[in-house]
Amino acid sequence: MAEKKVSGIETAEIVLPCPDLTETLSFFTGRLGFRLDATFPADDPAVALASGHGLRIRLERGGQGAPGIIRLHCADPAEIANGETSLTAPNGTRVEIVDADPPLVLPPIDQSFVVNRIGGGAWGVGRAGMGYRDLIPNRQGGRFIASHIRIPDGGPVPDAVHFHRVRFQMIYCYRGWVDLLYEDQGPLFRIQAGDCVLQPPEIRHRVVESSPGLEVIEIGCPADHMTCIDHALDLPTPDLRPDRDYSGQRFVRHRLASASWRPWRLEGIEARDIGIGAATNGLAGARVIRFKGTECMPAHRHAAEFVFRFVLEGSTTLQADGHDPQALSAGDSFVIPNGMTYGLNGCSDDLELLEVALPTNYRITM
């Protein structure tokens, strides 16, 4: 969302009280590199204005209120605070010293069996006003998130150019269509039901418009990741760079209309690969599985970090060790943990499953 211009407002500042103005001002200017902009009155200064690092502060001698917290994002935090994670100004203001570009933190792998029903979870309002339904409420210990996202009414989407700090993220169009813009990937394009995009880490993009009844499935790792607005970049960008490397991954736009189906690793089942495995160097894979000439997926186990399946069409019964049989239909989904024996029975002729797995070529045993 663009910055809102409010008539008459020229700048903003944070007010910090201090018992000793001289000592506190010296800390901010000498220790932290703020610039003194003004003091008054001249004969006995009680207020000082200082600015720096994109922030303006107003120090008031004897002022009221809490001393507050200031967070400094630093290229080398250890250099700023001699290895400390925070400093305390003479007036009590806590100055937190953090990494300007912190590494992505992955929670430990914590796999579990999850079945989610299309009518079993509430829809909430998420980013850009879109409806969100959580498909993995326990987030597998915080490592993965799967969201069923919808825009019931369609039309223009109040989105801004943004990016995500992620290890992996993809969007599969389940119903309807949506118009998208991506950095260095050409002009606006539309994905329709059955299409998919891989969003490499930190690729800038924007959702522009959707059909009524749009539904997409979004998978991300880790579950809690930051979405950042890029106020400086306009989309589309002038260059077309389909092979650009984004943190070791390439952008993928998979189109159902040009997809091909091939036999999958289990007999009687075929799949159309979405191309994510090659674009992520094997980190993750996604495919749509359909059943031709068989009503079952034989019982087997996997040795993957993550295996998620969403029922796109049709129906089946999931049988997993230690759990009652689960009848599944379109809109339901499930996660199978490493080492659990499971299979599918009573698969309808129109059954199609979206599978997302890390890694793409995970090992299975019968």
Side-chain angles (χ1 to χ4, degrees), residues 217-279:
I217 307 302
E218 180 180 281
I219 313 295
C221 173
D224 292 332
H225 57 263
M226 186 172 291
T227 297
C228 304
I229 309 301
D230 190 328
H231 297 286
L233 186 71
D234 290 325
L235 294 178
T237 44
D239 297 323
L240 177 60
R241 301 170 61 191
D243 294 324
R244 177 177 168 181
D245 183 288
Y246 302 84
S247 301
Q249 300 181 28
R250 291 180 290 105
F251 175 77
V252 171
R253 177 187 175 192
H254 171 84
R255 282 170 273 198
L256 172 60
S258 58
S260 58
W261 294 85
R262 294 183 173 85
W264 196 51
R265 56 175 68 184
L266 296 174
E267 186 176 352
I269 303 174
E270 59 183 14
R272 58 178 172 96
D273 191 88
I274 288 174
I276 286 174

Side-chain angles (χ1 to χ4, degrees), residues 25-43:
L25 179 60
S26 178
F27 172 84
F28 280 99
T29 56
R31 184 71 176 82
L32 300 182
F34 280 75
R35 179 188 65 187
L36 177 62
D37 294 326
T39 62
F40 60 90
D43 63 333

Side-chain angles (χ1 to χ4, degrees), residues 69-90:
I69 300 172
I70 291 176
R71 179 171 291 184
L72 297 181
H73 295 257
C74 309
D76 186 355
E79 180 182 355
I80 300 299
N82 296 321
E84 298 294 328
T85 58
S86 67
L87 301 171
T88 302

